[in-house]
Amino acid sequence: MIYFDNAATSYPKPSSVYAEVERCIRDYCGNPGRSGHKLSLEAQKTVYDCRCELARMFDCKSEENVVFTLNTTYALNMAIKGLARSGDHIIFSNIEHNSVIRPVNALGCDYDIFDSTQSTDRIIAEIVRLIRPNTKMIIAAHKSNIAPLQNPISAIGRLCRQRGLLFICDAAQSAGLYPISIKQSCIDALCIPGHKGLYGIQGCGAVLFSDAFKGFCAHNIRTLAEGGNGVASLDPYMPSVLPDRLEAGTLPTPAIAGLLAGIREVERVGTDHIRNHQNMLYRRLKENLLNVRKAELYLPEVNGGQILLFNIKGCSPEYIAEELDKNGICVRAGFHCAPLAHKALGTGPLGAVRASFGAFNTLEETDKLASELLKLQ
Amino acid sequence: MENYKGAVIGLPSATYCMTAQKLLRLKGIDSELVRPDPSALAKGCSHGITLNPKRLKEAEGILIRHSIPISRLP
């Protein structure tokens, strides 16, 4: 089986991740933060170590400001609904995932959308034009989930800081692949998955809040869910401090243990190395597809990336994906929960096919994909 | 480790306890995680660390300097 759906979830995982998840479930899977017994404390230590690793990796000053969630979608919901209020105006980009578009619409906030396919200067100029007196926040994906498109997050963060706006960054496709500094990019809430570029298992993501929300300043964040967390049990309200204010219920300790092992593996191999490897795969597949007469590549001028988007004239994207699956190749067809980005790239009424690379893919696998596509035309 | 029972610093959560332990360890102060008796707290279950009473004031100063919200428990 050849797996090119790493933008949805990375597969396979490093062997150290499988081993640590199993060790956690078998040996120390108590409920973290609840009890004083050994099993609970060992689980708590793993959770804490993972917070510290994430804080260090993304230049977040306080590990207490690392809040675990189910995934990036929950992380974005937590940040957006926790910080925006009805009547606020929000600005986001046209490469955002539905995990941004839908929460903003559900809040009933007014919003405007800027075009990420422009130069940095033009993007910033467009955002400046869109800012209103009641603009509360800007939300920007670091990297698109359908193509090698990106937002200039440091420039957007600096603008937010100058204008007193909050900046929420969706790093679903970039965490583990690109260096990200919350401090340097002036990010107020960085939303990350555990199961993509950090190579953990499904079931865990995180929001990393800036120091503006340290200690009792977290009281300004509205909770997404309320419940038990082993703290102040006689109080009918959630605690005022992070992470406990936003972590209701039992955490997914095995997934957090796997994420910790994944982070360590990514750091051992090196994000630059993984990214360069994927750029090489991208270039090889692009070169091969340029020889497929009926292939339509989106952004063919781009010479590196982790995701290649394409169509084959005369075939629907779903048909292509089905045919590839019959030959043991996993890709994803359709709109990839990113309708605005598809519109910007002009993929048409059926969307497109996405091949997304991971650390374990090989050049031979990209050649096999190209040869199967040749048979389809 | 010595039995330090008697000097307890209350902290808002298990996460803060571990951060506090890390900061104190850097200054050579050992501590242990404890679950203080809920009867000592208005809001019930909580977390804390116990340490050598002789170093309590020093430890409190370190944690306050790092903006760790603390409370002293009996």
Side-chain angles (χ1 to χ4, degrees), chain A residues 191-257:
Chain A
C191 301
I192 61 160
H195 65 103
K196 295 185 182 181
L198 295 172
Y199 289 90
I201 64 167
Q202 295 168 18
C204 158
V207 192
L208 287 78
F209 287 96
S210 70
D211 246 28
F213 300 99
K214 190 173 168 65
F216 293 109
C217 297
H219 194 68
N220 297 323
I221 309 171
R222 195 154 45 184
T223 54
L224 191 62
E226 299 80 28
N229 54 13
V231 175
S233 299
L234 301 181
D235 189 342
Y237 298 101
M238 291 299 281
S240 299
V241 297
L242 296 178
D244 306 82
R245 178 167 180 73
L246 299 176
E247 288 179 352
T250 300
L251 291 174
T253 310
I256 293 170

Side-chain angles (χ1 to χ4, degrees), chain A residues 18-62:
Chain A
Y18 296 123
E20 189 56 34
V21 170
E22 185 176 358
R23 195 175 80 82
C24 172
I25 293 167
R26 287 186 187 279
D27 295 348
Y28 65 90
C29 202
N31 200 328
R34 298 298 194 278
S35 316
H37 59 72
K38 286 186 178 61
L39 229 53
S40 176
L41 290 179
E42 195 170 345
Q44 175 62 26
K45 185 181 179 311
T46 295
V47 169
Y48 182 74
D49 287 348
C50 193
R51 284 191 214 281
C52 291
E53 284 291 314
L54 287 171
R56 191 181 51 73
M57 187 173 214
F58 297 108
D59 203 11
C60 175
K61 201 173 164 193
S62 309

Side-chain angles (χ1 to χ4, degrees), chain A residues 81-118:
Chain A
K81 292 175 180 171
L83 295 169
R85 302 285 182 270
S86 170
D88 286 340
H89 173 246
I90 295 174
I91 298 170
F92 60 83
S93 84
N94 66 347
I95 62 169
E96 299 310 308
H97 191 271
N98 274 337
S99 51
V100 167
I101 299 166
R102 288 177 174 172
V104 169
N105 276 282
L107 267 176
C109 290
D110 278 347
Y111 61 83
D112 282 297
I113 300 166
F114 65 91
D115 180 5
S116 301
T117 64
Q118 316 169 83

